[in-house]
Amino acid sequence: MNKAGGITSKALSYVFVVLILYFIIKATSFNLQAVKDFDFRINIFYVIVSSLFYFIGFVFLSLPHIYILNKMGYKVLFRDNLKYLIYGQFGGYVPGKVWLYAIRYNFLKKYNVKLNHYLSVFFIESFLLIISAFFISYILLGRAYIDFVPPYVIYLISLLVFVVIIPKVFYRILNIGMRIIKKDKIEIDMQMGFGDFFAVFVFFCVYWIFLGASFYFLFLNFYTNLNILYIIGVFVLSYVVGLVSVFAPKGLGVREGIVSVLLSRVIPSYQATALSFIARLWSTANELFYSFLFWIGDMLKGGKYEDK
């Protein structure tokens, strides 16, 4: 890279960091008034378990990424993959849902991953992440889910899944998209089978369960009689709707709205609103905390950890 290109790249990276910080501040300042008079009773054990479950969720969220890349012949280190996943979370605070993958791809260029192959990872993960979330939330929320999501939406999603989940159909659609954006198609030997799709689906299901359980243990600081399955279902549904809300950075406002509505069925509405805001703060705090731990680890090892 020439000097001018290097300066431009550096300047753009600084601009991107500023944008991330702006949207983080915007997210964490959301609805501060709602928690002003909340009765806090912090239990350190619940806080630690909640944070640990959040991290375990990250681990399972990272597994499909490395699983697909390894199936395609790219031997990506687990620690690299997990670290870049956590760093990439901050890209979600900038409007548009591709920044997380853009950040991870930029980091993983050292593995010589071809762009068209990485785009296939993006589409596979996005599809199965969304489908697994709807599946888990539907199972756990039951009647509340039917009331919240119109039945015809469920039927349409189910029909879409049954058709697109077939690998030959999925890759045919994907390669049509590749041709439209003028990228090379995904070669036959780089395509996954139904068993691989199912493995990725299971990884994502486990991720959603740990993520929802993390918020359940967090809420035990405020309520001790909440149903864990209901709380997991609430957060899985809120996250997936936030994901498909393309123009809401990190699902800002969308997630809080769904959490507030569904929690208000079991607790007073103003407290449900307060907990939705606390959950937003907690997710951001965990992302910052684990990013900081990886950064410290890199500093202590002089940035020479990776290939050992």
Side-chain angles (χ1 to χ4, degrees):
M1 181 182 294
N2 58 40
K3 187 175 180 180
I7 293 174
T8 301
S9 178
K10 200 168 188 178
L12 288 174
S13 68
Y14 286 137
V15 171
F16 191 73
V17 168
V18 170
L19 285 173
I20 289 174
L21 290 175
Y22 167 76
F23 284 108
I24 289 176
I25 292 170
K26 182 179 178 181
T28 54
S29 62
F30 177 75
N31 206 11
L32 183 61
Q33 186 64 32
V35 298
K36 181 179 178 181
D37 300 318
F38 207 95
D39 182 21
F40 291 92
R41 298 185 302 277
I42 301 300
N43 183 308
I44 296 300
F45 173 76
Y46 292 148
V47 170
I48 292 174
V49 172
S50 176
S51 183
L52 180 61
F53 274 35
Y54 202 96
F55 179 75
I56 295 173
F58 272 141
V59 171
F60 279 96
L61 181 60
S62 75
L63 289 178
H65 195 83
I66 198 169
Y67 179 85
I68 298 170
L69 285 173
N70 285 349
K71 281 286 183 177
M72 300 176 80
Y74 298 105
K75 302 303 180 184
V76 178
L77 293 178
F78 174 78
R79 187 184 187 281
D80 271 358
N81 186 64
L82 179 59
K83 181 180 74 170
Y84 300 148
L85 165 67
I86 295 176
Y87 285 172
Q89 295 303 309
F90 298 103
Y93 288 97
V94 180
K97 301 300 182 183
V98 301
W99 288 107
L100 186 154
Y101 283 89
I103 291 173
R104 290 170 78 182
Y105 179 66
N106 186 63
F107 279 126
L108 291 172
K109 280 182 179 178
K110 66 181 181 181
Y111 290 101
N112 299 314
V113 179
K114 292 182 179 180
L115 181 57
N116 66 319
H117 294 162
Y118 198 79
L119 287 173
S120 74
V121 175
F122 167 75
F123 288 114
I124 292 170
E125 283 198 345
S126 298
F127 175 69
L128 294 175
L129 182 67
I130 291 171
I131 295 307
S132 62
F134 278 118
F135 174 77
I136 291 293
S137 58
Y138 177 79
I139 295 297
L140 296 182
L141 289 179
R143 184 64 194 177
Y145 188 97
I146 299 297
D147 293 341
F148 193 79
V149 181
Y152 71 87
V153 174
I154 298 175
Y155 299 148
L156 287 175
I157 291 174
S158 299
L159 178 62
L160 175 67
V161 172
F162 283 125
V163 173
V164 181
I165 200 67
I166 303 171
K168 287 186 177 180
V169 175
F170 180 87
Y171 281 107
R172 181 166 297 180
I173 296 172
L174 180 59
N175 282 330
I176 291 173
M178 290 293 186
R179 187 164 59 248
I180 292 173
I181 63 175
K182 298 181 179 179
K183 299 296 179 184
D184 294 335
K185 68 178 184 179
I186 307 303
E187 308 92 325
I188 296 294
D189 59 341
M190 289 290 184
Q191 297 180 11
M192 301 199 307
F194 182 80
D196 296 317
F197 274 42
F198 183 74
V200 171
F201 176 83
V202 171
F203 285 141
F204 281 140
C205 286
V206 177
Y207 157 68
W208 289 122
I209 291 171
F210 272 103
L211 178 72
S214 171
F215 290 108
Y216 169 76
F217 281 100
L218 175 67
F219 287 175
L220 286 180
N221 290 284
F222 310 99
Y223 289 95
T224 58
N225 60 346
L226 294 174
N227 184 298
I228 185 172
L229 298 181
Y230 186 77
I231 297 301
I232 292 174
V234 166
F235 274 94
V236 173
L237 182 59
S238 71
Y239 265 70
V240 70
V241 176
L243 280 174
V244 299
S245 302
V246 178
F247 298 106
K250 204 72 172 180
L252 181 60
V254 177
R255 274 170 31 189
E256 288 76 16
I258 293 175
V259 171
S260 297
V261 169
L262 292 178
L263 283 185
S264 65
R265 299 186 177 190
V266 294
I267 62 175
S269 59
Y270 78 95
Q271 293 182 341
T273 301
L275 288 182
S276 71
F277 171 63
I278 291 170
R280 167 68 69 176
L281 286 177
W282 183 238
S283 63
T284 302
N286 274 282
E287 290 162 5
L288 288 170
F289 175 68
Y290 288 114
S291 294
F292 179 73
L293 288 186
F294 273 107
W295 179 76
I296 288 294
D298 288 349
M299 292 290 290
L300 292 176
K301 294 183 178 182
K304 298 179 180 180
Y305 67 86
E306 46 254 87
D307 294 323
K308 303 295 182 183

